[in-house]
Amino acid sequence: MDNSRKQSFVLALAWCYAWDWEADPQQYLSIFQKTRQALQKEDSEQIPEEITDIIADIEELQSLKFPHTSDELQQITQELPDLWQAKIGLVYGGATKIKGYVFEAAKLPDIRGASALLDRINLIDLPAFFDRHSKPAIDKWLEANFPGLQDGLIPELIVYSTGGNILAFCPAALADDLANAIEKRYTEETLTANSCAVADTFKMLEVRFGLLPENIDHKTQWLEWYEENAENELVKAYFNRSDDLEKDFQNRKSFNELVGKLATRFNQRRAGNILPNNLPNKNRPSRRYPPMFETHPYLVRDESDRRNAIKKVKLPGEPYLSEVLARKRIVGQRTKQEGSGGQSWYRQLNYRWKTGLVDSWVRRFRDSFKKTDLNEQYYQNLPDNIRRADEVKEAKSLREIAEAEAESVPPTSGFVGYIYADGNNMGGYIQTIKTPEDYQQFSEDIVAATEKSVYKAIAKHLQPRQVKTPDPDSTTKPGTWIHPFEIIAIGGDDVML
């Protein structure tokens, strides 16, 4: 494993450790900047004196040998009382019921915009929570809604923020605020997309050895207990029983068990369940920021027929749009880089809401194979006067994608193919991941492999096509060359095309 990844989590745990002991965040920020540089250079002598003891404790935590008996576990808690008492927060959250939000409207620009907006929140906004000054608009929003939260967050705390979800450490005192901020960001930006975030606090030792009871003694259920009860059906299911009992136990009693607890809480909260009074975070409502909309039966509806329209806008077909649909439509236009003239309708609404930085899947697709043989293969049917990739436009409607197949044999004009792919047995593999570093590495590897596979498949089996009869509601001109596909989402091990 990359040593820098391991050092990053040393810094993350040390930050939460120091915060839990009521450290001054302004004082420690400069100290941690120096510590970050020292760890990157692997120069322990350059670590500031004020934090050397904390770094030493965290490094010892990571190097602890796994105890085989409850007595050995008890001995560790007695020899390392600070790690036993110190608390750390862990937060997991993201968008839910994504298909209902993305496919709420049938038009391609709205589908594209909805997907891009969710991607922007997950890949840009949420990571910016942990990196002050990287996005001034995010800094301002956090200070207005959750003052003081960003003081306790640094980039190293993020375990992963890909695949539509974020998993991150944070100081224990800020865990609930961070979970609330994640949910509120989704609601304020999308107005209607469902989201969910859960938080819990754990002992530092639990990051290494999984969930532990408040009191450790010789009666604590540990490896010897598991070996005695391994044939019990519940025990067998919980520890994913195999022929190697010790390995099964160590796989489960690790950071993996903390994530599993949060995943269970996530499912409970997503379903709207209220946690019992004896559980942590019982004071968080079952839905922190529910959207509310007028449902008067005699008002004009938007194109999705879900919400009241705010205005008929100057777009092809002069559609009625609600504020929710207007946000999707303008983000969809920004992702396909339409000229500013085509976006004037949104400026005329005089809304303060900004789209922020959004990216296009087609741009990422083009960039993925610029200097490879796939570039020539994909663009091989273009005429000589159109050789530049950026002269091939994105499809503006499903009809344009369907028409691109008109010359196929047998003819399939009027139809589009829909592909949904999902990784197989990812949950089973995740249960073998023991450390935050491995979680981060696995997440990055899956996203990279999934994207690369999709781009390669498209480049090998599709080529740009000419639009002969554009959609009446589109500004596309006859003869325009388009990419005959739409990537709706690539998130973790999920793909929608």
Side-chain angles (χ1 to χ4, degrees), residues 34-35 37-39 41-49 52:
K34 296 176 183 177
T35 305
Q37 295 172 356
L39 290 175
K41 296 178 181 178
E42 298 185 18
D43 186 356
S44 59
E45 294 182 0
Q46 296 299 318
I47 295 177
E49 184 178 351
T52 51

Side-chain angles (χ1 to χ4, degrees), residues 15-31:
W15 174 268
C16 297
Y17 191 14
W19 190 282
D20 195 53
W21 295 120
E22 300 181 355
D24 179 359
Q26 298 304 321
Q27 173 191 355
Y28 267 82
L29 190 58
S30 61
I31 293 175

Side-chain angles (χ1 to χ4, degrees), residues 99-118:
K99 296 181 184 66
Y101 173 74
V102 171
F103 294 108
E104 184 178 61
K107 290 194 172 181
L108 190 57
D110 304 325
I111 295 172
R112 176 188 289 131
S115 176
L117 184 51
L118 292 180

Side-chain angles (χ1 to χ4, degrees), residues 258-278:
L258 310 190
V259 179
K261 181 178 180 180
L262 285 188
T264 300
R265 293 279 179 83
F266 182 88
N267 291 331
Q268 291 173 337
R269 183 172 177 81
R270 179 174 59 184
N273 296 322
I274 299 176
L275 296 177
N277 289 333
N278 63 335

Side-chain angles (χ1 to χ4, degrees), residues 313-334:
V313 298
K314 294 182 179 180
L315 284 170
E318 295 190 342
Y320 283 96
L321 299 182
S322 62
E323 184 175 359
V324 175
L325 204 53
R327 291 189 182 188
K328 292 181 181 180
R329 186 68 59 89
I330 188 62
V331 171
Q333 288 184 311
R334 292 282 172 84

Side-chain angles (χ1 to χ4, degrees), residues 278-295:
N278 63 335
L279 292 177
N281 309 324
K282 62 181 180 296
N283 295 322
R284 291 189 70 207
S286 60
R287 275 292 177 270
R288 190 68 176 85
Y289 303 99
M292 304 291 287
F293 291 95
E294 174 61 54
T295 57

